[in-house]
Amino acid sequence: MASHRRPKQPSRARVTVLTTAAAAAVAFSAQAANAAPSEKPTKDEVKAKVDKLYEQAEQATEKYNGAKEKQEKLQKEISTIQDNVARGQEELNELRDSIGLAAAAQYRTGTIDSSLQLFLSSNPDDYLDKASTADQLSAQQVEALKKIQEKQRELAQERSEASEKLKDLASTRTELGKKKQEVQAKLAEAQKLLNSLTAAEKAALAAEQERANRSSSSRVDLGDAPAGSSRAMAAFQAAQSKIGSPYVYGASGPSSFDCSGLTSWAYAQAGVSIPRTSQAQANAGTRIYSQSDLRVGDLVLFYGDLHHVGFYAGNGQVLHAPRTGTTVRYESINNMPFQFGVRI
């Protein structure tokens, strides 16, 4: 009689693995079937992304400018301190020489006192602290030693100050390098996006930018806009003379500019020194919060972090260096988020 064996059942673990694998395969197939093919961004989408990257690059540029300005200031301060230390050391040497000559004269006559011997072999601070020896010095010698003490203290303080500033300079240079890399990375990313466009799309974008530069570079009609002070107008006219000059990050003239580079350069031509960065320029004068109260030549600040600045040009226009890929030109004040004006 034939035996009837029940077929061997698969283990529970094997069933679980197979079920999971099958479910995953079904899900993957469904996703593959439903997934839309990746679409290449349009020219306008690329432009929007590029514009955002340029804005971020400008934010980093103003921080770069600030670090660069601080570096230059520290270098000048350190140079001044080092010059003072060198002169102070010469004076100290002369004072010591004068005491040495006095001691030599006393030695030749056999009258050198123990106090001068002490000075010549140890620190003058210890020397003057010895009350018992002070009365052995002439008034002239006491005065000379006091001057030596004071000069030594001055030199020690200046050397300490120079040391601290050198540390600050090193950290500032590090920050400067980081900000430069950040700007370059943003610009490189923007260029990569632009390179993804077809030749026709690139040409269309270039034509748009050229039209914007050309249409915004002609002199605007100031109409009834009130003029600023004589120096503000001189600065504004200096900026007008640079219409068409290219935007270059970190540049402050005379042939290329970033936004705050243009305003600081223009005011310098009018004999007025203002800070280098847009954020510092925001505190360089009286703030004007109403656009209707602006005068030609006032500075105008944009964006919440105040990373962009230009000149008010009248009739709702600003004269500024917009961003990478553009030139110094006029533009509507409403094209950017206006914060306030500054009257220098």
Side-chain angles (χ1 to χ4, degrees):
M1 182 176 181
S3 63
H4 298 281
R5 292 182 180 178
R6 177 177 297 178
K8 186 177 181 181
Q9 297 297 317
S11 68
R12 180 173 298 176
R14 178 176 171 79
V15 170
T16 301
V17 170
L18 291 174
T19 303
T20 303
V26 171
F28 179 78
S29 299
Q31 289 176 355
N34 296 329
S38 59
E39 295 181 358
K40 181 176 176 293
T42 65
K43 173 176 69 68
D44 291 339
E45 288 172 339
V46 168
K47 183 179 183 303
K49 291 179 180 179
V50 167
D51 287 347
K52 185 63 178 176
L53 286 167
Y54 282 154
E55 181 185 335
Q56 292 169 352
E58 189 177 37
Q59 288 175 308
T61 293
E62 287 305 296
K63 292 177 182 177
Y64 167 85
N65 290 337
K68 187 176 181 182
E69 184 179 41
K70 183 179 179 181
Q71 174 185 259
E72 292 170 353
K73 182 181 178 182
L74 283 170
Q75 286 174 329
K76 288 179 182 177
E77 290 175 350
I78 290 169
S79 178
T80 298
I81 292 173
Q82 289 174 335
D83 288 344
N84 290 342
V85 167
R87 284 194 298 269
Q89 188 63 53
E90 289 177 2
E91 293 173 8
L92 180 60
N93 292 340
E94 289 173 3
L95 289 169
R96 283 174 169 164
D97 288 345
S98 68
I99 290 292
L101 289 172
Q106 290 188 25
Y107 179 78
R108 284 193 300 271
T109 61
T111 59
I112 185 167
D113 56 46
S114 59
S115 58
L116 276 177
Q117 293 175 23
L118 176 61
F119 165 71
L120 293 173
S121 62
S122 64
N123 191 298
D125 286 337
D126 297 331
Y127 180 84
L128 285 179
D129 287 340
K130 306 291 185 180
S132 61
T133 61
D135 58 358
Q136 299 178 39
L137 296 172
S138 69
Q140 185 177 7
Q141 290 169 337
V142 170
E143 187 62 30
L145 286 173
K146 285 182 178 178
K147 287 181 179 179
I148 288 175
Q149 281 184 307
E150 182 61 30
K151 185 56 65 176
Q152 285 176 325
R153 282 193 290 268
E154 287 179 7
L155 288 175
Q157 182 177 349
E158 288 180 329
R159 287 189 175 110
S160 175
E161 185 179 354
S163 177
E164 290 301 314
K165 288 186 180 294
L166 283 168
K167 291 178 184 176
D168 197 4
L169 179 60
S171 63
T172 300
R173 282 175 171 162
T174 299
E175 181 187 359
L176 185 64
K178 288 180 179 177
K179 291 306 173 187
K180 184 176 182 179
Q181 289 177 349
E182 185 178 347
V183 174
Q184 291 174 332
K186 296 295 182 184
L187 296 180
E189 190 176 349
Q191 189 59 54
K192 184 178 179 181
L193 279 170
L194 291 173
N195 290 342
S196 70
L197 297 175
T198 65
E201 289 172 329
K202 289 179 186 177
L205 276 184
E208 287 177 19
Q209 188 58 62
E210 180 59 29
R211 283 194 298 271
N213 286 338
R214 189 168 56 248
S215 64
S216 301
S217 62
S218 58
R219 184 181 296 272
V220 299
D221 179 14
L222 301 183
D224 296 329
S229 67
S230 59
R231 287 191 170 182
M233 291 304 295
F236 177 69
Q237 288 163 3
Q240 282 182 314
S241 72
K242 295 301 176 180
I243 288 174
S245 299
Y247 178 103
V248 175
Y249 86 87
S252 55
S255 56
S256 59
F257 304 87
D258 60 25
C259 69
S260 58
L262 174 66
T263 49
S264 58
W265 175 87
Y267 262 102
Q269 308 317 299
V272 180
S273 176
I274 65 173
R276 173 64 176 85
T277 67
S278 58
Q279 290 91 345
Q281 290 176 16
N283 298 313
T286 304
R287 292 189 177 186
I288 312 297
Y289 288 96
S290 173
Q291 290 187 24
S292 61
D293 293 333
L294 291 173
R295 297 178 184 173
V296 177
D298 285 343
L299 298 181
V300 278
L301 279 297
F302 299 93
Y303 301 96
D305 63 352
L306 309 177
H307 72 260
H308 191 76
V309 63
F311 282 100
Y312 185 62
N315 283 353
Q317 298 287 306
V318 293
L319 176 59
H320 67 148
R323 57 169 176 77
T324 298
T326 67
T327 61
V328 175
R329 68 190 190 192
Y330 295 106
E331 197 167 339
S332 170
I333 197 172
N334 296 318
N335 285 356
M336 297 165 287
F338 170 81
Q339 303 299 305
F340 51 81
V342 172
R343 188 159 297 151
I344 303 299

